[in-house]
Amino acid sequence: MLTYDQIRHDQRINTYITAADRSLSALGFTEHSFAHVGKVASTAAYILSTLNRTPHEIELVKIAAHLHDIGNLVNRIAHSQSGAIMAFRILGELGMEPQDIATIVTAIGNHDEGTGVPVDDLSAALILADKSDVRRSRVRNRNKDTFDIHDRVNYSVYDSALEINEAKDRITLCLSVDTEYSSIMDYFEIFMQRMVLCRKAAERLGLSFKLIINDQQLI
């Protein structure tokens, strides 16, 4: 079986990730490089392992997480679909089993809030892991005077945690937000569609979704 470690250390794949992130940097987007895909992989693995999914499923979701944003190499628009097609080609050439390729391609193709749907457990875990990665360190712009709303919202989040409760019936995204840089309303202005997708992803996994910002439950 093709492993996450093999994918993570594949020079060709990492070249694509680097180039995709370079394009997003030119467009003024937050960091989408190795820190992001690594965080998404570990969070998605946490979700599925906590819900007692198989080691094989956990390995596949980590591979999907590592590859999920390579479509930005082509264009930011429809990057989930172009990334899925790229992953289909890459994983096929690396000799992965067709069923595993199908699972990973489905997750990548459905991770973005524009067109994504949590059609299975792996796509749901990838959605939750990806959309919960909001943090100050993803902001590239160091000049706070020129922050746009995305810079302000991400910079304002100084602590975040995604946790499944002991009963395994609820997943909660807890954010600590410095309102000097962004209001909670700003967060909802740009992330509401993502939070709706997270709710649907949680439901796919048999969980309710809660959002807590500064100790106040908002969803």
Side-chain angles (χ1 to χ4, degrees), residues 84-143:
I85 293 169
M86 290 176 67
F88 176 84
R89 175 76 178 269
I90 292 166
L91 296 174
E93 290 178 352
L94 291 174
M96 179 175 273
E97 292 295 321
Q99 183 56 55
D100 290 343
I101 294 175
T103 300
I104 289 169
V105 166
T106 296
I108 294 172
N110 280 285
H111 84 270
D112 189 60
E113 65 271 17
T115 55
V117 179
V119 295
D120 56 25
D121 287 358
L122 268 73
S123 61
L126 181 59
I127 286 166
L128 286 161
D130 182 38
K131 304 315 173 192
S132 64
D133 187 22
V134 185
R135 52 187 163 81
R136 178 169 292 185
S137 57
R138 293 189 70 188
V139 178
R140 306 179 204 262
N141 185 0
R142 298 306 173 197
N143 184 354

Side-chain angles (χ1 to χ4, degrees), residues 73-84:
L73 176 67
V74 179
N75 197 290
R76 177 62 181 172
I77 297 171
H79 74 280
S80 56
Q81 285 84 4
S82 55

Side-chain angles (χ1 to χ4, degrees), residues 88-213:
F88 176 84
R89 175 76 178 269
I90 292 166
L91 296 174
E93 290 178 352
L94 291 174
M96 179 175 273
E97 292 295 321
Q99 183 56 55
D100 290 343
I101 294 175
T103 300
I104 289 169
V105 166
T106 296
I108 294 172
N110 280 285
H111 84 270
D112 189 60
E113 65 271 17
T115 55
V117 179
V119 295
D120 56 25
D121 287 358
L122 268 73
S123 61
L126 181 59
I127 286 166
L128 286 161
D130 182 38
K131 304 315 173 192
S132 64
D133 187 22
V134 185
R135 52 187 163 81
R136 178 169 292 185
S137 57
R138 293 189 70 188
V139 178
R140 306 179 204 262
N141 185 0
R142 298 306 173 197
N143 184 354
K144 297 173 187 175
D145 293 333
T146 61
F147 275 3
D148 63 13
I149 187 171
H150 292 84
D151 291 333
R152 292 199 310 272
V153 167
N154 280 277
Y155 192 84
S156 71
V157 178
Y158 60 88
D159 191 37
S160 66
L162 187 71
E163 297 178 346
I164 297 174
N165 67 341
E166 190 173 348
K168 299 181 182 179
D169 61 6
R170 182 177 68 248
I171 187 166
T172 303
L173 176 59
C174 296
L175 302 177
S176 297
V177 172
D178 185 343
T179 54
E180 176 185 351
Y181 299 103
S182 171
S183 69
I184 293 173
M185 184 60 71
D186 285 340
Y187 180 89
F188 277 102
E189 181 178 340
I190 66 170
F191 285 156
M192 177 56 80
Q193 193 177 5
R194 299 183 190 184
M195 294 301 98
V196 170
L197 185 58
C198 282
R199 176 178 59 77
K200 293 178 180 177
E203 290 171 354
R204 172 72 202 193
L205 293 165
L207 306 169
S208 62
F209 176 72
K210 304 296 180 187
L211 173 65
I212 296 175
I213 300 180

Side-chain angles (χ1 to χ4, degrees), residues 34-102:
F34 300 108
H36 173 59
V37 299
K39 172 69 171 173
V40 174
S42 63
T43 302
Y46 157 74
I47 293 168
L48 291 189
S49 62
T50 303
L51 297 177
N52 300 318
R53 299 309 193 264
T54 67
H56 184 63
E57 289 174 298
I58 293 166
E59 195 75 1
L60 292 182
V61 84
K62 290 194 293 184
I63 292 172
H66 191 75
L67 296 170
H68 80 279
D69 271 335
I70 59 173
N72 288 296
L73 176 67
V74 179
N75 197 290
R76 177 62 181 172
I77 297 171
H79 74 280
S80 56
Q81 285 84 4
S82 55
I85 293 169
M86 290 176 67
F88 176 84
R89 175 76 178 269
I90 292 166
L91 296 174
E93 290 178 352
L94 291 174
M96 179 175 273
E97 292 295 321
Q99 183 56 55
D100 290 343
I101 294 175

